[in-house]
Amino acid sequence: MRRIAFLLVVILCSPLLTVGQQEEQAKLAGFFGNSSADEQAWEQKFQAIPSPDNMIADMKLLAARPHHVGSPYDEKNSEWLLAQYKKWGWDAHIETFQVLFPTPKLRVLEMVAPTRFVAQLREPPVPGDPTSSQQSEQLPTYNAYSPDGDVTAPLVYANYGVPEDYDQLARMGISVKGAIVITRYGHSWRGIKPKLAYEHGAIGCLIYSDPRDDGYYEGDVFPKGPWRPSQGVQRGSVVKMELYPGDPLTPGVGADAHAKRLPIKEAKTIEDIPVMPISYGDALPLLKALGGPVAPSDWRGALPITYHVGPGPAKVHLKLQFNWDLKPVRDVIAKLPGSTYADEWVIRGNHYDGWVNGAEDPIAGQVALLEEARSLGQLYQQGWRPKRTIIYCSWDGEEPGLLGSTEWVEEHGDELATHAVAYINSDTNGRGYLQAEGSHSLESLVNNVADEIQDPEKGISVGKRRQLAALARTESPEERQKLESQKNFILGDLGSGSDYSAFIDHAGIASIDYGFGGEAGGGIYHSIYDDFYWYSHFDDPTEAYGRTLSQTAGTTIMRLADSDVPPLDFTGLSDAVGRFVSELEKLDKSEINEIQWQNKEIQDGIFAASTDPTKKFVPPATEEVPSPLDFSPLDDAVKNLKQAAGHYQSAFDKVQEGTPASGASFQTVDQDLISTERALLYQEGLPGRPWYRHELVAPGIYTGYGVKTIPAVREAIEQKNWSQAADQITIVAGVLQKEADSINAAASALESAGQ
Ligand SMILES: [Zn+2]
């Protein structure tokens, strides 16, 4: 379900190595993600195997028919996937969970005043695109986990429906109480839109794709170009994933046959008001019929109208009913046993369920993962034995709410806590740039891999291309200099929106999310047009980047599986935490400044003087100015973390210099290293959402996909809950201290193992 956001933040600067330096690097056998000569030979063999032709054939097959959760073709795909893994020598099985997955029974949207209009709510087949006409199998356009409802009310346009938009409506003196809100897609995870509409008193919510963001303003629409046509609709889940992903009825436990299930009414992640996605074709008559003030300039889209806010005179009737059934999700799980550390698991996953035919999302990622599995199986037959156990997962049920991966992680929580080394995810894939987000302890590993894999169209490494693209986007000499001086590119931080969530957020397993993209337009996301025809015309027709994803993710898996100790290091991590803390300090200052300035604007009559008296304007109320928070516990924790990272680095260097005896065992080091990500969990979880236990990253409570770093403190500041912010500073500082202890333990274990 991931929507790729290319944040090419900070990038690799890779100096050319002398021959001597190269030998020196080769000697770092298995550490920090570099490979010994033997491992390098296997990696090179591996990288030559993934075949674009196979990927094209697999995509044709897997995306041939609609394959959403519970559909016959989804089941057929699961059996086919299982057979492939078995054929390639993997020990594979299907693990099934029963999850709540509502599907539409009745959908009505009509305007009842000032004129009558009945929304089409249907995506027409496109001539020439053979799978777009499989209507009897396509899921209708809807938002999964909207409640049933039957509401009629005046319409209000609320822009993207994010918190600032409601502040703006309040300034304009417009309330959405008792109204149906129409918002546009973008700027937040879609589930945030009905949640905020409800919190502000609305009784229904529509979400449409504006052509400004996703349609003809961006480029030619399908089938002439890749962009969203007038009746194209973005389906999608609105489950309150910011509380917990997975089956709404079984939070925290695997939804197996014995699981105790909540009554639907008690499931906290189902939305409160009926919500439905619509096309810009259906939205146009509704928006055109709105009166009231003209929308602020940054609220205006690309429809051929003057955008008004309402409320009314447009009045709409929205009626929705769903089948609230339990449906099976079938995860296909495949293992290659480890030869030395069989109890240490390196895990790789990508989902295979789609909203409809889902060629880009998710089959493009799935076929890359399959080619990795086939290639690793081939190496195994040739005698390669990974030191650690490798587990490949083809997830089902990602689209409705990360169901397959979350239930699997919850089901196997205890085993994963002991055995899991790392998790590597991918989802959509296409032509373009490397995107890599994840745990900063894996930053060196990712950089080393990205520096070796070649971009298929540019003749440079994918890491180098990422670096140069980021440099092209810099806006100041300082930014440029900073970027060029960095040894490694910095990984983006994980929010939510794909199957890594349970691994990192709930189980504390170091995780990476990979994908390529950024060149193709994205106008078919979650529509019937995301199919083989679209993908092979507009995205990655030769699967060159499918192969590149296979090489990147597969090489990462091989290094995690084969290195003497897991290739984690902590300089990137301690730098990241230092950055997060200084951002929090800045945020606290700027919140205080904002409040002081707003009070001044009110007291000095600045608001009053700068508004048009013929237009309604409601000034905000003055607020009490808080005292600055005390960040010293976090500052101290950062210092300790940096010291611990240095300790590990010097222990590592010593082991390298001493050239440990070939029989030296690093198993105790492994256990200490594995637990460093676990140490970032706080067992009681984040305030108000105990499922989320990682203290460095979580999806934002009001952004959804978007990440919040040190979320417990950051969100308390953003919500002006100063006492909670102070309490959470103490808690996070305690967790960071635990992390420093854990890194120090790994360093000491390495020192004694190396002697
Ligand atoms: Zn996806």
Side-chain angles (χ1 to χ4, degrees):
M1 103 166 68
R2 180 192 62 202
R3 184 82 200 188
I4 292 185
F6 280 85
L7 298 170
L8 297 172
V9 192
V10 186
I11 290 297
L12 178 75
C13 186
S14 63
L16 288 173
L17 299 177
T18 65
V19 175
Q21 282 168 323
Q22 283 172 9
E23 274 170 12
E24 192 57 35
Q25 272 214 343
K27 222 179 70 185
L28 304 181
F31 288 102
F32 284 90
N34 294 300
S35 313
S36 68
D38 188 39
E39 284 160 19
Q40 271 174 10
W42 282 117
E43 284 178 10
Q44 274 159 16
K45 272 187 197 161
F46 164 78
Q47 288 162 13
I49 304 174
S51 145
D53 288 345
N54 283 354
M55 293 187 205
I56 291 169
D58 291 353
M59 177 181 280
K60 252 189 197 157
L61 180 90
L62 289 167
R65 309 207 73 84
H67 53 94
H68 53 271
V69 172
S71 66
Y73 205 72
D74 194 49
E75 181 173 359
K76 208 171 161 196
N77 279 347
S78 73
E79 295 296 341
W80 183 82
L81 290 165
L82 178 68
Q84 303 308 301
Y85 283 118
K86 286 185 171 169
K87 190 170 82 186
W88 301 327
W90 293 69
D91 174 13
H93 67 279
I94 290 181
E95 194 164 339
T96 304
F97 299 98
Q98 297 291 333
V99 297
L100 180 71
F101 177 53
T103 51
K105 199 153 71 178
L106 178 76
R107 301 168 308 139
V108 176
L109 174 65
E110 54 189 354
M111 180 160 66
V112 294
T115 51
R116 195 174 143 73
F117 161 75
V118 180
Q120 194 170 312
L121 311 179
R122 210 184 123 256
E123 299 179 294
V126 162
D129 174 356
T131 63
S132 65
S133 61
Q134 298 165 336
Q135 281 166 340
S136 64
E137 292 168 67
Q138 293 165 356
L139 266 182
T141 55
Y142 79 116
N143 285 137
Y145 306 102
S146 158
D148 290 354
D150 186 353
V151 289
T152 303
L155 197 63
V156 175
Y157 175 53
N159 196 29
Y160 293 107
V162 296
E164 306 84 77
D165 295 327
Y166 287 94
D167 292 343
Q168 178 74 41
L169 280 175
R171 297 289 81 78
M172 294 161 83
I174 292 171
S175 163
V176 302
K177 229 181 207 112
I180 292 175
V181 161
I182 182 166
T183 63
R184 53 173 161 159
Y185 269 118
H187 290 219
S188 77
W189 145 248
R190 71 181 79 72
I192 298 300
K193 298 168 196 286
K195 172 168 118 166
L196 270 163
Y198 168 72
E199 285 181 7
H200 288 86
I203 59 170
C205 180
L206 301 172
I207 314 175
Y208 80 103
S209 306
D210 196 286
R212 172 71 184 78
D213 313 301
D214 187 4
Y216 55 72
Y217 183 92
E218 291 288 339
D220 286 323
V221 304
F222 189 65
K224 188 177 176 206
W227 289 97
R228 193 174 299 273
S230 136
Q231 293 298 335
V233 179
Q234 182 189 138
R235 287 161 191 73
S237 174
V238 288
V239 78
K240 292 181 186 171
M241 222 158 40
E242 67 282 3
L243 295 180
Y244 59 89
D247 176 27
L249 306 185
T250 59
V253 298
D256 59 22
H258 318 287
K260 240 180 94 181
R261 287 178 167 76
L262 294 172
I264 292 177
K265 271 196 185 119
E266 285 173 30
K268 287 203 182 86
T269 56
I270 296 171
E271 289 297 333
D272 301 280
I273 54 173
V275 46
M276 185 157 68
I278 59 174
S279 64
Y280 55 85
D282 275 342
L284 177 60
L286 308 180
L287 290 167
K288 200 173 176 179
L290 279 177
V294 170
S297 57
D298 55 349
W299 286 35
R300 300 168 201 164
L303 288 169
I305 53 168
T306 300
Y307 284 66
H308 289 259
V309 174
K315 196 176 187 186
V316 298
H317 173 215
L318 173 65
K319 187 172 182 183
L320 298 174
Q321 282 172 12
F322 301 94
N323 300 300
W324 292 91
D325 298 335
L326 292 188
K327 293 273 164 62
V329 293
R330 297 180 179 83
D331 293 333
V332 188
I333 309 290
K335 283 184 196 178
L336 271 190
S339 61
T340 316
Y341 309 122
D343 279 347
E344 296 176 19
W345 301 350
V346 175
I347 309 166
R348 167 88 173 99
N350 195 110
H351 72 102
Y352 69 89
D353 68 300
W355 273 117
V356 195
N357 295 72
E360 183 194 54
D361 182 5
I363 299 304
Q366 181 65 221
V367 296
L369 169 138
L370 287 178
E371 277 299 285
E372 292 163 46
R374 185 179 69 86
S375 307
L376 294 177
Q378 215 173 90
L379 296 192
Y380 199 87
Q381 277 158 13
Q382 293 169 18
W384 170 68
R385 292 290 176 271
K387 290 195 182 89
R388 298 185 179 79
T389 295
I390 298 177
I391 304 179
Y392 266 57
C393 311
S394 291
W395 304 120
D396 194 5
E398 190 267 0
E399 292 297 358
L402 319 179
L403 304 175
S405 56
T406 303
E407 297 312 316
W408 191 79
V409 169
E410 291 176 345
E411 181 81 10
H412 299 282
D414 292 341
E415 294 165 88
L416 287 167
T418 316
H419 303 303
V421 176
Y423 173 69
I424 308 297
N425 189 69
S426 59
D427 191 327
T428 62
N429 197 60
R431 283 179 62 235
Y433 306 88
L434 170 68
Q435 184 222 23
E437 297 178 335
S439 301
H440 295 278
S441 56
L442 296 171
E443 210 158 84
S444 297
L445 169 65
V446 171
N447 273 272
N448 287 334
V449 172
D451 208 20
E452 287 171 28
I453 304 297
Q454 291 300 297
D455 183 286
E457 294 181 348
K458 296 288 177 180
I460 51 175
S461 76
V462 298
K464 187 78 182 168
R465 186 176 183 199
R466 196 183 138 114
Q467 167 200 11
L468 297 177
L471 278 171
R473 285 172 202 211
T474 51
E475 280 170 358
S476 67
E478 296 77 40
E479 222 184 313
R480 213 166 300 149
Q481 215 171 29
K482 200 173 153 201
L483 212 56
E484 284 184 312
S485 71
Q486 255 143 4
K487 183 172 155 277
N488 282 341
F489 65 75
I490 294 177
L491 293 177
D493 294 297
L494 288 171
S496 187
S498 195
D499 290 308
Y500 51 78
S501 182
F503 286 91
I504 181 135
D505 298 325
H506 189 66
I509 296 164
S511 300
I512 297 292
D513 186 41
Y514 277 132
F516 289 84
E519 302 283 41
I524 45 63
Y525 179 61
H526 291 185
S527 76
I528 65 167
Y529 312 116
D530 178 3
D531 57 16
F532 183 77
Y533 179 90
W534 181 90
Y535 196 83
S536 56
H537 280 77
F538 299 111
D539 202 333
D540 187 14
T542 63
E543 281 287 1
Y545 284 86
R547 179 181 157 93
T548 313
L549 175 59
S550 277
Q551 292 169 330
T552 307
T555 304
T556 307
I557 289 289
M558 288 181 79
R559 289 198 189 169
L560 282 162
D562 277 340
S563 57
D564 293 329
V565 297
L568 306 176
D569 77 283
F570 305 98
T571 315
L573 174 77
S574 62
D575 287 351
V577 177
R579 246 180 357 255
F580 300 160
V581 170
S582 70
E583 283 165 16
L584 289 179
E585 292 172 2
K586 266 188 219 141
L587 177 67
D588 186 47
K589 276 200 195 97
S590 84
E591 288 284 344
I592 293 171
N593 285 343
E594 272 300 303
I595 294 170
Q596 286 168 331
W597 171 245
Q598 186 173 290
N599 289 350
K600 187 175 158 62
E601 280 182 302
I602 297 163
Q603 281 149 10
D604 295 359
I606 298 172
F607 269 133
S610 56
T611 49
D612 179 345
T614 66
K615 289 184 182 154
K616 188 163 181 185
F617 177 75
V618 183
T622 55
E623 281 177 53
E624 198 183 319
V625 181
S627 24
L629 290 161
D630 174 13
F631 285 97
S632 59
L634 285 177
D635 293 334
D636 291 345
V638 169
K639 256 183 239 147
N640 294 340
L641 211 50
K642 291 206 163 160
Q643 242 160 32
H647 181 194
Y648 186 81
Q649 181 69 50
S650 74
F652 170 79
D653 291 344
K654 260 185 225 146
V655 171
Q656 288 307 308
E657 284 157 18
T659 326
S662 61
S665 169
F666 293 101
Q667 192 136 28
T668 57
V669 187
D670 281 25
Q671 282 313 316
D672 286 310
L673 276 173
I674 290 172
S675 54
T676 55
E677 194 78 23
R678 248 60 107 220
L680 290 165
L681 297 181
Y682 178 60
Q683 288 311 317
E684 278 94 304
L686 300 181
R689 40 179 182 157
W691 187 90
Y692 284 95
R693 301 192 288 200
H694 202 285
E695 286 288 0
L696 291 187
V697 288
I701 198 98
Y702 285 112
T703 55
Y705 278 167
V707 64
K708 296 285 175 178
T709 52
I710 311 192
V713 178
R714 183 179 294 267
E715 296 201 312
I717 297 175
E718 287 172 352
Q719 288 156 31
K720 300 180 181 175
N721 189 341
W722 310 109
S723 65
Q724 187 175 82
D727 293 347
Q728 293 298 322
I729 284 175
T730 314
I731 290 172
V732 175
V735 166
L736 293 178
Q737 186 52 52
K738 196 165 60 121
E739 173 71 357
D741 295 345
S742 170
I743 295 168
N744 277 320
S748 304
L750 186 58
E751 280 162 348
S752 33
Q755 275 161 12

